[in-house]
Amino acid sequence: MDKRVFDTPSDTARGFAEYLLKQHKQKEKLNIALSGGSTPKLLFNLLATEYQDQFDWSKLHFYWGDERCVPPTSTESNYKMTNDLLLSKVEIPESNIHRVLGENDPEQEADRYAKEIAEQLPSLKGIPRFDIIILGMGEDGHTASIFPHEIELIKDSRVCAVGTNPDSGQKRVTLTGSTINNAASVCFLVTGKGKAEKVDEIFNTKGLYLDYPASHISPTHGDLIWFMDVDSLTNV
């Protein structure tokens, strides 16, 4: 596990932007699964402004690690957030944007999206292999849309599945742990004091850490990098 700690959430976003740019310069094409959340908002804004001219956007293909089952016009949509802050502001081919159709039936969409991913990505040991998967972590230890009460999705053999937010009951299409752990690089973007308790338990393998889906993310044939701010490490 590679831990990269920065002073602020903005610095954390910039640290990942630099990492992404380095990966971009080393590879002809990148298949990237994006995340929602506050730190990705900072990241997307940064990429669309200061880094816009440093990328050949035609070589980046964007997918989503999870998506709420809402229309793409909804303020809850991860796609809408990404489109508003980044995709609409850079020269990226429409064919490079692979969104989850959140307006569709959740189970059917999980199957459809899994097929699209399998058709577009190379595979390793029969599982699609992303170049980079960006993840966040909730204060309950969930990641993507794999929540503690559905931790079995970590070992689910499917590419995608349907997760359910335990508070709202909202359905979400999510990559499974099997797909996430098959990536070449998995990058957590974690900021804020609200995450510190779970980070402490996960990093020090104590408490209820095994109940947290985020603790089970460990790429089998790839890198695991945590991009963090100091506030998220206050308990460590």
Side-chain angles (χ1 to χ4, degrees):
M1 184 191 300
D2 181 356
K3 304 171 187 176
R4 305 187 185 185
V5 183
F6 303 87
D7 289 338
T8 67
S10 294
D11 291 338
T12 305
R14 187 178 299 278
F16 177 78
E18 288 292 331
Y19 170 81
L20 180 61
L21 183 61
K22 182 178 180 180
Q23 294 298 306
H24 171 58
K25 290 179 177 179
Q26 293 176 347
K27 297 184 179 180
E28 180 64 25
K29 175 184 177 183
L30 285 177
N31 290 305
I32 304 166
L34 302 173
S35 171
S38 57
T39 307
K41 283 185 179 180
L42 295 172
L43 170 66
F44 298 154
N45 185 63
L46 194 61
L47 292 175
T49 53
E50 295 182 37
Y51 287 83
Q52 181 176 155
D53 297 332
Q54 298 188 52
F55 284 87
D56 179 351
W57 297 97
S58 68
K59 295 183 179 179
L60 275 61
H61 281 253
F62 290 123
Y63 299 79
W64 276 262
D66 69 319
E67 178 62 281
R68 298 175 179 89
C69 292
V70 296
T73 53
S74 171
T75 56
E76 296 185 359
S77 166
N78 285 337
Y79 163 78
K80 175 177 170 53
M81 184 264 280
T82 311
N83 189 58
D84 288 350
L85 296 178
L86 175 61
L87 302 178
S88 64
K89 298 181 179 181
V90 298
E91 295 293 328
I92 184 169
E94 189 70 28
S95 58
N96 290 24
I97 302 170
H98 308 267
R99 77 173 182 92
V100 178
L101 305 181
E103 64 272 28
N104 288 354
D105 173 80
E107 293 289 349
Q108 292 179 6
E109 180 55 19
D111 289 342
R112 186 204 68 79
Y113 202 54
K115 290 176 182 176
E116 179 174 352
I117 290 171
E119 289 171 357
Q120 296 293 327
L121 269 61
S123 66
L124 179 67
K125 297 187 180 297
I127 303 172
R129 182 167 170 84
F130 281 95
D131 294 297
I132 299 173
I133 295 179
I134 303 172
L135 295 176
M137 184 187 72
E139 293 185 8
D140 60 354
H142 87 267
T143 192
S145 281
I146 304 175
F147 293 90
H149 76 289
E150 293 174 332
I151 201 165
E152 66 273 9
L153 294 180
I154 286 290
K155 295 185 177 180
D156 197 302
S157 62
R158 293 173 294 175
V159 175
C160 298
V162 177
T164 306
N165 183 302
D167 298 321
S168 66
Q170 183 186 61
K171 299 293 185 181
R172 302 179 178 185
V173 174
T174 184
L175 297 179
T176 64
S178 298
T179 307
I180 296 170
N181 282 326
N182 203 47
S185 178
V186 177
C187 299
F188 276 95
L189 302 184
V190 177
T191 59
K193 293 181 179 178
K195 312 295 177 66
E197 181 180 350
K198 295 298 187 291
V199 166
D200 182 23
E201 292 185 56
I202 291 171
F203 283 4
N204 293 296
T205 60
K206 66 181 186 181
L208 300 174
Y209 78 101
L210 288 175
D211 292 341
Y212 312 142
S215 73
H216 296 273
I217 302 303
S218 180
T220 310
H221 305 282
D223 299 322
L224 176 62
I225 308 173
W226 286 69
F227 292 83
M228 318 172 69
D229 72 344
V230 292
D231 280 350
S232 65
L233 285 168
T234 51
N235 283 10
V236 178

